[in-house]
Amino acid sequence: MILVTGGTGYIGSHIAVELLAAGHSVVLLDNLANSVASVVPRIEKITGRAAAFYQGDVRDAALLASIFEQHPIDAVIHCAGLKAVGESVTQPLAYYDTNVHGSIVLCQAMAKAGIKRLIFSSSATVYGVEAIPPYVETMGRGSCTSPYGTSKAMVEQVLEDLCASDPEWSVAILRYFNPIGAHPSGLIGESPQGVPNNLMPYISQVAAGVLPELRVYGNDYPTQDGTCVRDYLHVVDLAVGHRVALKALETPGASHYNLGTGQGVSVKQMIDAFTQATQVPVAFRYAPRRDGDLAAFWASVEKAQQELGWQATKTLDDMMTDTWRWQQHASA
Ligand code: NAD
Ligand code: UFG
């Protein structure tokens, strides 16, 4: 039985579907800070299997203790956290409290309950501003440009120190590149509150007429078309990566895996791919660079391929089609 924190969120809900479909029992914990409870019956609708759901905070040690007492949890997948890079600059304490303190409270409760297997949602941002792509897991962590990024790097360090202190712990640190897309059922996906910060939901909201036009932040980067390059991966592939990473928890210690496709795609290519997949145009204009953006990065994916037998299988076309299906559902 697996506990997924942040289990009603964008990535957590797709992980829940993947685990239930593979026969795992699943418990979800989420305080609904950035998601809604109606995701729970949707997960059941997709899989035909129910997950237990607790509405509560990952910083609530008593709640965690009671969940661990009531359910025979074998491992925890820790997705709960705050993730808006810009907001983390203006509200650093909230980000360190939820992301860092929340992870520590979780690990303390796990240790008390004798559960020492954890998968952590980290981010490619921990490679830092100096790193040269492709990012390889053997590279050290670099300097992050936001408290959000620093909070992920700090938790990675905490987990590495925890594993070094006690050989019973096994932790898989998964560094996500840019997850996009939605479940092909159209029942779950990303629902940003207010105006989206991220590219994919922005593109789909412009296409749906919810927003007037996309601003492409910078067309003077040293890339093929001057726009930034990222490694976008389908959220269903990402969810599969978590299911297979459970195997890595059979070996003690901390291990790090990039989850990406290994392919860099520019902002302009993303706009073109969306229109090609959906036949819907996306109004855009070039705007100045956004503070803190790196020109280009993508993953080295060999480690996950070799050690987990995982690789992304969905195409850019799948990512666009599934995003658009979900967007039409969301704005219907
Ligand atoms: P999300 O906001 O959709 O999901 C996070 C969930 O955590 C939300 O449902 C939210 O309500 C919940 N939550 C927040 N604070 C909580 C708390 N104190 N207690 C309990 N639940 C809490 O975001 P997501 O995209 O699904 O991201 C999941 C994880 O992956 C996060 O840790 C995020 O930092 C990490 N990540 C995301 C991306 C991305 O681009 N989406 C990239 C790299 C890493
Ligand atoms: N972009 C635009 N216009 C927009 C939104 C984004 O041009 O309206 C551009 C950005 O400038 C960037 C690219 O689209 O070049 C991707 O931007 P996103 O905000 O979608 O993604 P980021 O790469 O900036 O950030 C993501 C996650 C972070 C994570 C980071 C590194 O949102 O959580 O990847 O893994 F830290």
Side-chain angles (χ1 to χ4, degrees), residues 180-267:
I180 60 168
H183 194 268
S185 63
L187 289 173
I188 55 171
E190 186 172 15
S191 308
Q193 291 180 355
V195 178
N197 299 307
N198 299 117
L199 180 64
M200 193 70 249
Y202 212 109
I203 288 179
S204 61
Q205 290 196 15
V206 170
V210 178
L211 293 169
E213 66 175 359
L214 171 74
R215 277 168 301 167
V216 174
Y217 296 130
N219 62 346
D220 57 352
Y221 284 99
T223 60
Q224 58 210 34
D225 58 23
T227 66
C228 290
V229 167
R230 295 288 181 272
D231 182 339
Y232 297 93
L233 85 154
H234 198 295
V235 65
V236 170
D237 278 331
L238 181 66
V240 173
H242 289 72
R243 177 174 59 71
V244 300
L246 287 170
K247 277 188 293 184
L249 300 182
E250 280 155 26
T251 313
S255 45
H256 309 72
Y257 296 99
N258 289 338
L259 295 183
T261 64
Q263 302 295 320
V265 178
S266 76
V267 175

Side-chain angles (χ1 to χ4, degrees), residues 303-324:
K303 190 177 181 201
Q305 269 174 21
Q306 283 164 12
E307 294 186 15
L308 304 176
W310 175 88
Q311 64 181 39
T313 59
K314 302 262 189 185
T315 63
L316 201 52
D317 203 68
D318 297 329
M319 301 180 213
M320 299 300 165
T321 310
D322 291 337
T323 299
W324 186 230

Side-chain angles (χ1 to χ4, degrees), residues 153-173:
M154 287 167 78
V155 176
E156 288 199 358
Q157 185 68 55
V158 168
L159 296 174
E160 290 160 16
D161 291 345
L162 182 59
C163 288
S165 75
D166 177 351
E168 286 182 4
W169 274 91
S170 52
V171 176
I173 292 169

